[in-house]
Amino acid sequence: MALNINVLKNVTDKFIKKTGSSAQSTNTEPTADASIFKNVSLNQTKDESLFKDPTDNILETDNPVPEQSTRVFTGNQTIFSELKQESADTFNKTANIDKNELTSDVEPLTETFAKSVKEHTEKILDNDIDVDPSPIDLNLSAYNDKETISLKLSSILFFRQFFASFFQYTTLSLCFPQTASRLGPSYPSSMPFAYLLIGLISGAAAGFTSNVNLKIISGGLIFCVFITLSGLSSFRGICTLMCLFSQRRADEIISGVAVAIPCIIFTVVASALAMIVSPLELFLSFALISMLSAAFAVTLVFTLEQDPVNSIGTITIGGMIISALLTLALCFLILNPLVMVSLLGTGLLVRVIIGYFLHLNHVAASRDLILAATQISVIAMLLDLACIGSSLPVINTCVISLFN
């Protein structure tokens, strides 16, 4: 750029010498031949010289470019074009909007809402309503049941639970559905009394066969009556236990084994016991064994988690204690103490093994598993009674004397 200016200056000097004109006149305008050098800069005045020293930089920083102009270089000339900054000014105005202007339309709504809340609060305070400032005690255990429920109502509820268990844990609900729906559900603590009824009916059928000298089929008859009254849910529970033990999914083989093996063992052991003991002893002992087995099996509900789909219900500590006391009192009253101790040991052993196995596999307590544990306990106690029934009397002598 500086080299081109020097060339132009030399040409201009030669032209001035020939024409005799002065290029630095302050009073006259340049001629038409020199019009190409007019308006080189927008900031140039008439008193300034047309060209500067070649050593000077054309782009001087001493004279800043005006704010409303933009310097554009094209070719070898310095051209200044003015561009209006309307768009930039519009952007700056939009960016510098005050926050108060944005919230000016919202403030009336906020003030209106606050005013309405204040008026509503004043109306509530003006009402003459006596409110107890003491906090409400939500601890239900602090209330006394005797004050809220009378003794008559408690007795009615107890008997309702007692009779409802005969329909909930047996198949009587299929024969009398309306009665079962009126009585409603019952707690698991009443399950031993339902199995006492099942045992009494099954034992009565076995005693009848003994009277007509059909002891060989008495075991099968007991099993048929027992399964008819208790249902087939116990076989599903046994199948579940076998699947857990074998680490296999349920198929036809496991389902068949879960049904066949308990049937065979139950029938053979009951038939052997019918040949050893008297019909009365078989009648009472099988009823008490069924009751004791249900009392041991139902305690699984207290120690294991509940199955949310097939739950048998919850059991409380009080209900479990009452059920255990009534069961033990009735068993020790009728059975021989030595026989009763042996049956308690067998039932406790089966209960601990099944409970530990279910706990080890993280299985929740369901209705099928409780009934399966009951049936397994019945088979184990019948086998124990068959082993000691030949050497010890099964029933107390005082009870035998009552029937004689």
Side-chain angles (χ1 to χ4, degrees), residues 226-243:
F226 181 82
I227 293 301
T228 302
L229 295 176
S230 62
L232 301 176
S233 299
S234 59
F235 293 108
R236 287 196 296 265
I238 294 174
C239 182
T240 302
L241 293 175
M242 294 185 68
C243 291

Side-chain angles (χ1 to χ4, degrees), residues 8 11-12 30-40 50-51 77:
L8 293 176
V11 174
T12 305
T31 60
D33 295 333
S35 61
I36 59 175
F37 303 104
K38 184 180 180 181
N39 296 330
V40 174
L50 183 62
F51 299 99
Q77 297 179 354

Side-chain angles (χ1 to χ4, degrees), residues 265-322:
I265 297 176
F266 194 107
T267 304
V268 171
V269 173
S271 299
L273 183 62
M275 295 180 181
I276 295 173
V277 298
S278 63
L280 179 61
E281 291 177 341
L282 181 62
F283 167 69
L284 295 177
S285 62
F286 186 77
L288 296 177
I289 285 174
S290 299
M291 182 181 183
L292 193 61
S293 299
F296 276 114
V298 81
T299 56
L300 293 171
V301 183
F302 186 77
T303 56
L304 297 177
E305 296 181 357
Q306 289 290 316
D307 190 348
V309 178
N310 191 18
S311 176
I312 197 173
T314 58
I315 185 172
T316 60
I317 298 177
M320 187 171 61
I321 292 174
I322 293 174

Side-chain angles (χ1 to χ4, degrees), residues 85-355:
Q85 304 294 330
E86 295 180 358
S87 60
D89 296 339
T90 304
F91 177 78
N92 293 332
K93 290 180 180 180
T94 305
N96 295 328
I97 293 177
D98 192 2
K99 295 181 179 179
N100 296 326
E101 296 179 1
L102 295 175
T103 58
S104 60
D105 296 335
V106 183
E107 288 181 355
L109 297 176
T110 307
E111 293 176 358
T112 304
F113 178 75
K115 185 177 179 181
S116 62
V117 172
K118 184 177 179 181
E119 293 177 356
H120 181 69
T121 306
E122 291 177 355
K123 290 180 180 180
I124 294 176
L125 294 177
D126 292 338
N127 295 331
D128 297 334
I129 300 176
D130 296 333
V131 180
D132 189 6
S134 60
I136 300 175
D137 188 8
L138 299 178
N139 187 9
L140 299 179
S141 62
Y143 295 96
N144 190 1
D145 294 340
K146 294 182 181 179
E147 296 179 358
T148 57
I149 301 176
S150 61
L151 180 61
K152 181 179 179 181
L153 183 59
S154 300
S155 301
I156 294 174
L157 292 176
F158 174 77
F159 285 108
R160 188 202 68 82
Q161 290 281 333
F162 180 78
F163 289 108
S165 63
F166 298 125
F167 293 91
Q168 183 175 357
Y169 301 107
T170 64
T171 57
L172 293 178
S173 59
L174 301 177
C175 301
F176 308 98
Q178 294 181 355
T179 305
S181 61
R182 290 177 182 176
L183 292 175
S186 64
Y187 294 108
S189 57
S190 302
M191 181 177 171
F193 307 110
Y195 270 79
L196 175 63
L197 178 63
I198 294 174
L200 289 174
I201 298 174
S202 301
F208 174 76
T209 56
S210 298
N211 290 333
V212 295
N213 297 323
L214 296 176
K215 295 183 178 180
I216 299 176
I217 64 172
S218 61
L221 185 59
I222 291 174
F223 178 77
C224 290
V225 176
F226 181 82
I227 293 301
T228 302
L229 295 176
S230 62
L232 301 176
S233 299
S234 59
F235 293 108
R236 287 196 296 265
I238 294 174
C239 182
T240 302
L241 293 175
M242 294 185 68
C243 291
L244 293 174
F245 183 77
S246 61
Q247 298 297 321
R248 292 179 56 186
R249 298 181 63 181
D251 52 7
E252 292 80 3
I253 298 175
I254 294 180
S255 300
V257 171
V259 175
I261 292 180
C263 293
I264 295 173
I265 297 176
F266 194 107
T267 304
V268 171
V269 173
S271 299
L273 183 62
M275 295 180 181
I276 295 173
V277 298
S278 63
L280 179 61
E281 291 177 341
L282 181 62
F283 167 69
L284 295 177
S285 62
F286 186 77
L288 296 177
I289 285 174
S290 299
M291 182 181 183
L292 193 61
S293 299
F296 276 114
V298 81
T299 56
L300 293 171
V301 183
F302 186 77
T303 56
L304 297 177
E305 296 181 357
Q306 289 290 316
D307 190 348
V309 178
N310 191 18
S311 176
I312 197 173
T314 58
I315 185 172
T316 60
I317 298 177
M320 187 171 61
I321 292 174
I322 293 174
S323 177
L325 291 177
L326 292 177
T327 302
L328 293 176
L330 189 59
C331 291
F332 275 106
L333 181 63
I334 297 175
L335 295 178
N336 188 2
L338 296 177
V339 174
M340 184 59 195
V341 171
S342 179
L343 293 178
L344 284 177
T346 304
L348 184 61
L349 178 62
V350 174
R351 162 54 180 97
V352 171
I353 292 174
I354 295 177

